[in-house]
């Protein structure tokens, strides 16, 4: 079948396009259209055969009921019975909008649409294209998300085409959607009403208006243990092709853990993905890193989630590590979808972080102008089993200076450079639990110990690697003295690299 794609501007709706699409629906065909949440795959909700076509196009199990979309509140009475009193209040506040309510169905709704249930899910979308289309189609349009079953819901017409081109009659392309996650589903047939799927309208928003609501407990944990009340929630939805793992902890730990995992994959030649945020993006270096939005505005994250998951399907990555998000407000819906995409695979950031003893190695010399920066740069040449931030400090740095020119000349002859180096003063902030401080000689070590006390990881370089060779001080001497110093440093740093890797092997 040829799928017609029609662009449509919601601020200036072309009535002829709407009429064409409406006629297709009235004739029992399928039209994908934008809503404020995600794109829907529309069909005539009152025709049994139309529902069957919908299931076939999506490859969706037919026990998974469809949502009926309406454009006028009065139309609710034609498809639902025993509508509870609070419905008026909720509709007045949230319709049109990202809320689906479940009622007992009337005889007008075929069982094909409700997946055999005696209840019907109803939503009045706010997107003007959706509303015009519903009117043009006769008022009742069933619409699941317009993706192939199991793929992330579509937030653009291109996503719809990726999944359904050739399988449906038309796609109305109204650009990217606003919210990006499916509507909140509220079951009105129970008291108090129960949230079956979290979305942009939250429990707190309902409770302000109608008092207590409950939440389907299977949404919170691993739902394989118990069947969720919305049949669709039991399937592993939104699944990316790669294995998706949610890294959980406080944000600092999550970043450290993901960095560690990404570095390990990089060393082993495995391609991985990282779901990061605008705030955390600069911390990552290895793998395919995608920005999902800003932590300052969770709406940006909701809007990008499915797009990012789809984009990863185009990347040849075997595993995706995602940061996690606060489970409040819209965050509840975000984590709900992310966890489903991950098939509930989580890893504890703290447990990963614990596996790495040192993260930073700071070399300390007197002035941080030759020996310490040389040692640091030599160490940076090694591909170690774990990733370390390697830097240097001086105990007497009066003002920041570039590296000693002779030191730089020697480094250059060994194809390294201290070109970016600027000397910096050692201070208490360098004495972190995860930092290994390696001084060039005893003097510096003793000075640190007497000033800051013991209890930190402070060693001389040769002590740490178990080699008694002293590092000479070439200051004020000719170039050859710098060359000799370099050779000693090179030998000790080589032992350091071996020692660091052996600590990893021993799991220390
Ligand atoms: O935002 C949305 O709701 C989008 C747009 C297109 O409106 N639609 C959507 O439809 O997400 P769908 O089919 O992908 O998800 C509908 C969910 C499924 O989990 C389904 O099981 C549940 O609603 N559902 C539908 N009717 C139900 C009923 N009578 N009882 C319980 N759950 C129902
Ligand atoms: Mg869906």
């Amino acid at each position: 079948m040829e799928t017609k794609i029609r662009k449509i501007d919601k601020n200036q709706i072309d009535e002829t396009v709407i009429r064409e699409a409406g006629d297709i629906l009235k004739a029992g065909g399928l039209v994908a259209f934008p809503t404020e949440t995600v794109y829907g795959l529309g069909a005539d909700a009152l025709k049994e055969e139309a529902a069957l076509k919908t299931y076939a196009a999506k490859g969706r199990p037919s026990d998974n009921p469809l949502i009926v979309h309406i454009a006028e509140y009065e139309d609710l009475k034609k498809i639902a019975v025993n509508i509870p009193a609070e419905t008026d209040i909720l509709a007045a506040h949230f319709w049109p909008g990202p809320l689906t309510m479940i009622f007992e169905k009337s005889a007008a709704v075929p069982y094909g649409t409700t997946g055999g249930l005696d209840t019907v899910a109803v939503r009045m979308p706010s997107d003007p294209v959706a509303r015009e289309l519903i009117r043009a189609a006769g008022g009742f349009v069933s619409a699941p998300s317009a993706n192939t079953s199991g793929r992330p819901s579509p937030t653009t017409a291109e996503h719809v085409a990726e999944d359904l081109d050739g399988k449906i009659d038309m796609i109305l392309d109204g650009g990217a959607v606003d919210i990006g996650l499916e509507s909140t589903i509220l079951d009105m047939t129970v008291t108090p009403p129960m949230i079956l799927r979290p979305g942009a309208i939250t429990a707190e928003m309902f409770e302000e208006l109608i008092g207590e609501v409950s939440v389907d407990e299977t949404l919170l944990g691993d739902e394989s243990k118990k069947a969720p009340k919305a049949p669709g929630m039991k399937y592993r939805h939104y699944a990316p092709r790669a294995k998706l793992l949610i890294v959980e902890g406080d944000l600092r730990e999550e970043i450290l853990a993901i960095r560690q995992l990404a570095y390990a994959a990089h060393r082993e030649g495995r391609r991985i993905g990282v779901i990061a945020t605008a705030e955390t993006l600069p911390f990552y270096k290895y793998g395919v890193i995608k920005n999902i939005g800003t932590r300052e505005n969770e709406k940006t994250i909701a809007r990008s989630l499915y797009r990012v998951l789809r984009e990863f399907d185009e990347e040849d990555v075997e595993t995706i590590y995602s940061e996690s998000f606060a489970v409040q407000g819209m965050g509840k819906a975000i984590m709900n979808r992310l966890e489903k995409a991950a098939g509930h695979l989580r890893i504890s950031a703290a447990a990963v972080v614990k596996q790495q003893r040192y993260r930073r190695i700071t070399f300390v010399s007197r002035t941080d102008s030759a020996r310490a920066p040389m040692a640091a740069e030599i160490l940076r040449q090694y591909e170690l089993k774990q990733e370390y931030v390697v830097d240097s400090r001086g105990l007497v740095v009066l003002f920041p200076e570039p590296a000693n020119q002779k030191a730089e000349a020697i480094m250059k002859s060994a194809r390294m450079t201290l070109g970016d180096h600027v000397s910096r003063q050692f201070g208490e902030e360098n004495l972190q639990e995860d930092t290994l401080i390696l001084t060039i000689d005893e003097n510096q070590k003793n000075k640190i110990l007497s000033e800051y006390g013991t209890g930190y990881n402070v060693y001389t370089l040769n002590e740490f690697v178990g080699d008694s060779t002293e590092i000479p001080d070439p200051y004020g001497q000719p170039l050859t003295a710098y060359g000799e110093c370099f050779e000693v440093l090179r030998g000790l740093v080589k032992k350091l690299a071996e020692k660091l890797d052996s600590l990893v092997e021993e799991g220390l």
Side-chain angles (χ1 to χ4, degrees), residues 40 51 62 107 128 133 190 214 233 304 313 317 327 352 368 389 398 440 463 488 506:
S62 56
L133 178 67
V190 294
S214 61
M233 298 300 276
S304 308
D313 284 349
V317 295
V327 188
V352 174
D368 189 26
V389 175
L398 300 179
I440 295 298
E463 168 193 21
V488 173
E506 290 161 31

Side-chain angles (χ1 to χ4, degrees), residues 33-42 54-55 58 60 63-69 97-103 105 113-115 117-123 125 142-147 153-154 181-185 187 189 196-197 228-235 237-238 306 337 340:
F33 62 98
T35 83
E36 69 279 21
T37 57
V38 298
Y39 272 72
L41 176 57
T54 307
Y55 293 126
K58 273 180 68 81
R60 170 172 175 153
D63 67 341
N64 193 354
L66 307 175
I67 295 172
V68 180
H69 295 67
L99 170 63
T100 295
M101 288 189 273
I102 292 175
F103 306 98
K105 81 175 193 68
T113 300
T114 66
L117 298 176
D118 289 315
T119 52
V120 60
V122 188
R123 171 160 118 80
S142 61
S145 49
N147 51 290
S153 295
L181 297 180
E182 304 86 341
S183 60
T184 305
I185 301 181
D187 185 352
T189 68
L196 306 189
R197 179 173 75 182
K229 305 242 167 9
M233 298 300 276
K234 73 174 174 256
Y235 300 105
H237 259 195
Y238 331 117
Y306 289 142
R337 306 307 195 278
K340 286 168 77 58

Side-chain angles (χ1 to χ4, degrees), residues 30 41 49-62 66 144 147-149 163-164 167-168:
L30 302 180
L41 176 57
E49 322 80 67
L52 295 180
K53 274 196 192 172
T54 307
Y55 293 126
K58 273 180 68 81
R60 170 172 175 153
S62 56
L66 307 175
N147 51 290
T148 299
S149 196
D163 286 10
L164 300 177
K167 295 181 177 160
I168 62 177

Side-chain angles (χ1 to χ4, degrees), residues 15 55 76 81 171 187 312 326 332 356 373 392 487 491 501-502:
E15 288 305 327
Y55 293 126
L76 176 62
V81 295
I171 299 171
D187 185 352
F312 269 122
K332 207 166 199 151
Q356 182 162 350
S392 63
E487 290 307 331
D501 277 354
S502 73

Side-chain angles (χ1 to χ4, degrees), residues 42 91 149 151 186 323 408 508:
S149 196
R151 293 215 70 205
L186 187 64
E323 294 172 4
E408 169 66 348
L508 294 172

